[in-house]
Amino acid sequence: MRVLFLIVVILSITRSECATEAGGDAAALRDEASECRYLLMLCEGVRAAATALEQKSTEIPRREKMYKDAKKKSDTAREEFVRMTMRRSFSAPPPEKEIRELAEKQGATEDARLLAKQARNEYDATRLVYRTKLKDVAEAAQVIRAKHETMPDCFLKCSEVLNVEKFR
């Protein structure tokens, strides 16, 4: 988990540096065609990040359901184990098989909990990448728009990513 957190922090630092680079890169381009290619490349990156974010968001409920189901089975097994132990005399130890089964169910519950947490962390990291890419596109579009009297046509090809009305 610490490694994933470290990766997210590194990504956010490098992404924030890239955000200022996106506007600088767009300002350095010499003609409208190269500006449009650059903008469309950034828009494609946002689309890919949005797709990844959508996939990660569907993974979270599935993993959380797996955890709830495993926890329910583990809790039921523990309750049954306690009832079985209470029915026996306290001098007789519980059978090894029941102890092992209970430990396995509790281990499966912990595994499912960790998978659910991992899905949430992956989603958060993907969301950070998406938001950074979106910021890069907006910054580059703003710089490109400032260089022209009218909005370049390529902005319309990126309309699902950009708020085109803002640039008219």
Side-chain angles (χ1 to χ4, degrees):
M1 294 302 142
R2 290 184 202 159
V3 173
L4 185 59
F5 177 74
L6 183 60
I7 291 170
V8 170
V9 170
I10 291 170
L11 275 175
S12 65
I13 291 170
T14 55
R15 290 293 175 191
S16 64
E17 290 172 359
C18 290
T20 56
E21 290 175 11
D25 290 347
L29 298 172
R30 300 202 184 283
D31 61 347
E32 187 175 324
S34 59
E35 292 168 347
C36 283
R37 281 191 301 275
Y38 181 68
L39 184 67
L40 293 174
M41 178 193 70
L42 291 176
C43 286
E44 192 56 43
V46 171
R47 288 183 194 109
T51 301
L53 186 63
E54 186 176 328
Q55 290 171 347
K56 296 290 181 191
S57 70
T58 60
E59 185 71 16
I60 292 171
R62 188 177 71 80
R63 295 261 177 103
E64 287 176 349
K65 184 179 181 330
M66 287 172 54
Y67 168 62
K68 287 177 184 173
D69 292 347
K71 183 162 177 39
K72 186 177 179 181
K73 286 180 184 177
S74 176
D75 290 347
T76 303
R78 188 177 339 104
E79 289 169 5
E80 182 59 35
F81 182 79
V82 168
R83 276 194 295 270
M84 182 212 37
T85 305
M86 297 295 256
R87 282 188 294 236
R88 296 174 183 226
S89 68
F90 286 104
S91 60
E96 179 101 11
K97 180 182 175 189
E98 276 94 13
I99 293 173
R100 194 175 28 221
E101 287 175 358
L102 179 61
E104 287 173 2
K105 287 182 180 168
Q106 288 176 337
T109 300
E110 181 62 15
D111 291 347
R113 185 188 70 78
L114 291 174
L115 286 173
K117 186 174 182 179
Q118 179 186 7
R120 173 64 64 188
N121 289 342
E122 288 173 0
Y123 173 80
D124 290 343
T126 305
R127 185 179 67 196
L128 177 65
V129 169
Y130 169 75
R131 292 180 68 164
T132 303
K133 286 180 182 266
L134 197 57
K135 182 180 174 188
D136 289 350
V137 169
E139 188 175 306
Q142 199 169 19
V143 169
I144 292 169
R145 178 60 181 100
K147 293 168 69 175
H148 300 279
E149 286 184 32
T150 60
M151 179 180 75
D153 292 336
C154 61
F155 277 53
L156 296 175
K157 293 178 183 175
C158 222
S159 62
E160 75 281 359
V161 173
L162 294 172
N163 180 4
V164 177
E165 292 303 316
K166 177 180 164 186
F167 295 105
R168 288 195 187 267

